[in-house]
Amino acid sequence: MIPADLHQRVGQWMSGVGPDSDVVISSRVRLARNAAGCRFMARAGADERRDLAARFAAALAAVEPPLDYLDLESLSPVDRHVLAERHLISREHADAEGPRGVALSADESVSVMVNEEDHLRMQVLRGGLDLGAAWERAAALDDAVQGRVPYAFDETYGYLTACPTNVGTGLRVSVMLHLPALAMTRELQRVFNAAAKIDFVVRGLYGEGTQGHGDFFQVSNQKSLGRSEREIINNLEVVIPKIVGYERKVRQDICAEHRRQVEDRIFRALGLLRSARLMTSEEALHLLSQLRLGALIGLVSDVDTPTLHRLFILSRPAHLQRLHGRELDEPERDAARADFLRRALGGA
Amino acid sequence: MIPADLHQRVGQWMSGVGPDSDVVISSRVRLARNAAGCRFMARAGADERRDLAARFAAALAAVEPPLDYLDLESLSPVDRHVLAERHLISREHADAEGPRGVALSADESVSVMVNEEDHLRMQVLRGGLDLGAAWERAAALDDAVQGRVPYAFDETYGYLTACPTNVGTGLRVSVMLHLPALAMTRELQRVFNAAAKIDFVVRGLYGEGTQGHGDFFQVSNQKSLGRSEREIINNLEVVIPKIVGYERKVRQDICAEHRRQVEDRIFRALGLLRSARLMTSEEALHLLSQLRLGALIGLVSDVDTPTLHRLFILSRPAHLQRLHGRELDEPERDAARADFLRRALGGA
């Protein structure tokens, strides 16, 4: 069972606070690991998977601070999607079959998927730009687990993983950026081109394509091989502040030069959120994104970013279904979403 | 000079009351006349035009109840467009050059253009479906003017006019319909096809094409020759109630079967009107049209149709410029319009 009130709160990392959180939503460190002497997931049979899940569940329950292990096979599809919407498991992991699970810290800053693409996918999330702290927590967890379940490791290649792109450090480092001003002025492509040149890849909120929903973009490293963990993190710590500075500058510029247009967009977003009776996920994300910009540049005073961060997550389909205590079809969800957001934002 | 407070009120015919005014905004009767023994406008020189204007101005000032004659040459372009936006003169008449004018009754139910396409274009407007009353007023005015300035009339063809389509009775009868439900359900084409079969033509709010702005459509007779005035009016009095009944039925149906979608559209319209900082004429008309439907089906309780009718007219470009006491360019007008509508509708 996932906690009964999970659909009413968000994890600490999504609380809207943290370094540079005007532009950086969150920082994420992910390590891919596999148990030594076991077949990778594509080849592992049901018994082997069950055995792996049990070994890792035991190991993860024993680390300090302890993690809660959830057996995904025993959760409803809605609850599994709640976890995916909270960025605690991948959508693939939610929809997969067979013995698999996730271990979570109470504040949701740590989540460890068991039997996803690799036997182990350890993730640490932090609010704002805070890769160093995320890395330290991930490294400590990595050491603690490795003491209990030895990893597949090669002296030449490093950590062995199911997909060659993860071999080596097994590390993926990413930050989630909110770039509404750059999106408004169509300057995003320059950011993406600059990121691509130094081997970073830019994707949307849930990893889909490069078209960010609601102006949210993930920037992550492309290569995990041939560089040390510290190097990978350092590279991102050099690049991200430049993007942050660029977004901040454009926010100032548009407020100075196109104030009416910016106000129009933001107050229209607020007006729609406070009045619509049907709203898709995509539209909600887009409008909340505009409102987040409005709150940060001081145009909208009665909504703060922690509230908006909560609404980003709680208005997603599975969260709404949990709020209503039953499965909802798409028109029902669109109605439930509009009602939820309207009330949360003081609409009529 | 046009009255100083003209931009703050609307004519009696636009006050939102009248028979069947849930669907019929207004009824209009127009008579085209030319002075006997004078050249039509296309051939008349400046002196002849000036002479015609003077003769008709004198005749129109002498009728009972009296009309106010405005010399359009002495009005500013903004004031001329104020008259056009109030449907008292055509846009062509506003933008033309040379001696020309318009005679108006105080309540704006009667307007007579002098030296437009014909020497005289007499118009009577009534709120709702009230063609009989409009026709009686027009006929009385016609008789009164004819007693002072004899018309060009032919025993075979009837009244002679600049354009052959107006020869005969010189009569055009039209009603302005608000058909948001038929527009929403895409059933308008059936209405238009039915109207075309019986020689009626359907156009938009300001006569443009058949694409009505904000779901407003003018239905008028196509032929003025070979039928008596009474026949033309009777035909429209048979057709219009059918369209009215059809629109009413669809309004009921969509409320019963698609209540959420209808509510969503209408409350979004209200939300945008109460929050936007920039708004084009076209969007304002569209949103006010949705709101008018909302008020009529009882969804929106704090806005009534008389208020909406006022806003339709007062939010047009020339009215806004008069409100601000100066010429405004398009972005300024869009800002002024958004501000005006937001305040009028209780927005923040």
Side-chain angles (χ1 to χ4, degrees):
Chain A
M1 283 286 290
I2 67 174
D5 67 336
L6 200 66
H7 62 284
Q8 293 170 329
R9 54 182 172 86
V10 294
Q12 188 277 330
W13 65 274
M14 195 55 186
S15 62
V17 291
D20 299 319
S21 62
D22 55 333
V23 179
V24 184
I25 303 286
S26 58
S27 301
R28 175 177 176 262
V29 163
R30 185 269 281 159
L31 294 171
R33 300 288 186 258
N34 288 275
C38 297
R39 280 186 275 208
F40 285 155
M41 287 298 293
R43 293 279 183 162
D47 288 347
E48 201 164 357
R49 288 175 181 220
R50 187 158 292 110
D51 182 54
L52 279 163
R55 283 172 68 196
F56 278 116
L60 291 162
V63 300
E64 270 307 321
L67 303 174
D68 271 340
Y69 185 80
L70 297 174
D71 173 10
L72 291 187
E73 277 191 299
S74 70
L75 293 186
S76 70
V78 166
D79 280 357
R80 296 201 301 265
H81 284 108
V82 163
L83 297 175
E85 288 172 0
R86 300 172 83 80
H87 298 266
L88 301 174
I89 65 175
S90 64
R91 286 198 284 207
E92 292 73 19
H93 204 43
D95 292 333
E97 296 192 338
R100 68 200 192 286
V102 63
L104 302 173
S105 66
D107 66 358
E108 300 184 13
S109 63
V110 177
S111 76
V112 185
M113 289 192 285
V114 175
N115 287 350
E116 208 245 17
E117 184 182 304
D118 293 295
H119 298 156
L120 219 57
R121 287 279 180 109
M122 293 181 278
Q123 165 183 278
V124 178
L125 287 162
R126 304 277 299 185
L129 182 57
D130 204 2
L131 287 169
W135 164 245
E136 279 168 33
R137 184 90 165 83
L141 176 66
D142 190 33
D143 291 344
V145 174
Q146 184 158 30
R148 290 173 172 83
V149 183
Y151 293 149
F153 184 83
D154 178 275
E155 286 300 331
T156 309
Y157 294 113
Y159 293 102
L160 302 179
T161 55
C163 177
T165 57
N166 290 311
V167 167
T169 58
L171 176 67
R172 178 144 296 170
V173 181
S174 64
V175 292
M176 179 71 68
L177 301 171
H178 184 220
L179 305 176
L182 289 171
M184 223 179 255
T185 54
R186 298 171 202 282
E187 296 185 65
L188 278 173
Q189 204 51 53
R190 285 174 57 189
V191 172
F192 297 166
N193 291 346
K197 270 191 197 155
I198 47 171
D199 277 338
F200 287 97
V201 60
V202 181
R203 296 189 302 172
L205 186 57
Y206 285 89
E208 64 290 72
T210 54
Q211 186 48 55
H213 284 309
D215 314 321
F216 295 99
F217 300 91
Q218 274 185 58
V219 178
S220 59
N221 66 309
Q222 198 144 22
K223 291 184 186 168
S224 57
L225 184 66
R227 289 180 189 176
S228 75
E229 288 85 349
R230 203 58 250 179
E231 264 181 291
I232 292 169
I233 291 169
N234 284 350
N235 280 350
L236 214 54
E237 279 177 337
V238 168
V239 171
I240 297 302
K242 287 182 185 160
I243 302 178
V244 169
Y246 192 15
E247 167 70 18
R248 280 183 189 148
K249 185 184 176 308
V250 176
R251 286 184 191 178
Q252 285 185 333
D253 290 352
I254 57 174
C255 284
E257 292 158 33
H258 307 284
R259 188 155 190 97
R260 259 286 168 173
Q261 285 89 333
V262 173
E263 286 177 345
D264 185 56
R265 285 203 190 204
I266 288 166
F267 286 109
R268 277 173 182 258
L270 184 57
L272 287 174
L273 285 163
R274 282 181 171 166
S275 54
R277 262 59 177 173
L278 287 170
M279 191 169 286
T280 64
S281 273
E282 220 166 73
E283 187 187 13
L285 202 54
H286 172 72
L287 297 176
L288 290 169
S289 160
Q290 302 280 304
L291 212 49
R292 188 180 192 273
L293 174 64
L296 287 166
I297 61 179
L299 272 183
V300 178
S301 56
D302 44 351
V303 185
D304 54 21
T305 50
T307 300
L308 291 169
H309 282 220
R310 221 169 46 84
L311 299 182
F312 281 126
I313 300 285
L314 303 191
S315 65
R316 311 276 319 163
H319 278 76
L320 289 171
Q321 293 179 79
R322 226 175 174 259
L323 181 69
H324 283 254
R326 66 181 182 90
E327 283 192 35
L328 304 172
D329 63 21
E330 202 174 303
E332 288 175 324
R333 289 202 301 271
D334 289 352
R337 181 175 300 111
D339 291 347
F340 171 73
L341 291 170
R342 198 170 68 250
R343 283 164 199 155
L345 291 167
Chain B
M1 283 285 292
I2 67 174
D5 67 337
L6 200 66
H7 62 283
Q8 294 170 329
R9 54 181 173 85
V10 294
Q12 190 276 330
W13 65 275
M14 194 55 187
S15 62
V17 292
D20 298 320
S21 63
D22 55 333
V23 179
V24 185
I25 303 286
S26 58
S27 301
R28 175 176 176 264
V29 163
R30 185 269 282 158
L31 294 171
R33 300 288 185 258
N34 288 275
C38 298
R39 282 187 274 210
F40 285 156
M41 288 298 293
R43 293 278 182 163
D47 287 347
E48 200 164 358
R49 289 175 181 218
R50 187 159 292 110
D51 182 55
L52 279 163
R55 283 173 68 197
F56 279 117
L60 291 162
V63 300
E64 270 307 320
L67 303 174
D68 270 339
Y69 185 80
L70 297 174
D71 173 9
L72 291 188
E73 276 191 299
S74 71
L75 293 187
S76 70
V78 166
D79 280 357
R80 295 200 302 265
H81 284 108
V82 163
L83 296 174
E85 288 172 359
R86 300 172 82 80
H87 299 266
L88 301 175
I89 65 174
S90 64
R91 286 197 286 205
E92 292 73 17
H93 203 43
D95 292 332
E97 297 191 340
R100 68 200 192 284
V102 63
L104 302 173
S105 67
D107 65 358
E108 299 184 15
S109 63
V110 177
S111 75
V112 185
M113 289 190 285
V114 175
N115 287 351
E116 207 245 17
E117 184 181 304
D118 293 296
H119 297 155
L120 219 58
R121 287 280 180 107
M122 293 181 278
Q123 164 182 278
V124 178
L125 286 162
R126 304 277 300 184
L129 183 56
D130 203 4
L131 288 169
W135 163 247
E136 279 169 32
R137 184 91 166 84
L141 177 65
D142 190 34
D143 291 344
V145 174
Q146 185 157 28
R148 291 174 172 84
V149 183
Y151 294 148
F153 183 83
D154 178 276
E155 287 300 331
T156 309
Y157 293 114
Y159 293 102
L160 301 179
T161 55
C163 178
T165 57
N166 290 311
V167 167
T169 58
L171 176 67
R172 177 144 297 170
V173 181
S174 64
V175 292
M176 179 71 67
L177 301 170
H178 184 220
L179 305 175
L182 290 171
M184 224 179 255
T185 54
R186 299 171 202 283
E187 294 184 68
L188 278 173
Q189 204 52 53
R190 286 174 57 189
V191 172
F192 297 166
N193 292 345
K197 269 188 196 156
I198 47 172
D199 278 338
F200 286 98
V201 60
V202 181
R203 297 189 300 171
L205 185 57
Y206 286 90
E208 63 291 73
T210 55
Q211 186 48 55
H213 285 309
D215 313 322
F216 295 98
F217 300 92
Q218 273 186 58
V219 178
S220 58
N221 67 309
Q222 198 144 23
K223 291 183 186 168
S224 56
L225 185 66
R227 289 179 188 175
S228 75
E229 288 85 349
R230 203 58 250 178
E231 264 182 291
I232 292 169
I233 291 170
N234 284 350
N235 281 350
L236 213 54
E237 279 177 336
V238 168
V239 171
I240 297 301
K242 287 183 184 159
I243 302 178
V244 169
Y246 192 16
E247 166 70 18
R248 279 183 189 147
K249 186 185 175 307
V250 176
R251 286 184 190 178
Q252 284 184 335
D253 291 351
I254 57 172
C255 283
E257 291 159 33
H258 306 284
R259 187 153 192 97
R260 260 288 169 172
Q261 284 90 334
V262 173
E263 287 177 345
D264 185 55
R265 284 202 192 206
I266 288 165
F267 285 109
R268 277 174 182 258
L270 184 57
L272 288 174
L273 285 163
R274 282 181 171 166
S275 55
R277 261 59 178 174
L278 287 169
M279 190 169 286
T280 64
S281 273
E282 219 166 73
E283 187 187 13
L285 202 54
H286 172 72
L287 297 176
L288 290 169
S289 161
Q290 303 280 304
L291 211 50
R292 188 179 192 273
L293 175 63
L296 287 164
I297 61 180
L299 272 183
V300 179
S301 56
D302 44 351
V303 185
D304 54 21
T305 50
T307 300
L308 291 169
H309 282 219
R310 221 169 46 85
L311 299 182
F312 280 126
I313 300 284
L314 304 192
S315 65
R316 312 268 330 155
H319 278 77
L320 289 172
Q321 292 178 77
R322 222 169 179 267
L323 181 68
H324 283 254
R326 65 181 182 90
E327 283 192 34
L328 304 172
D329 62 22
E330 202 174 303
E332 288 175 324
R333 289 202 301 269
D334 289 351
R337 182 176 298 111
D339 292 346
F340 171 73
L341 290 169
R342 198 169 69 250
R343 282 164 201 156
L345 291 166

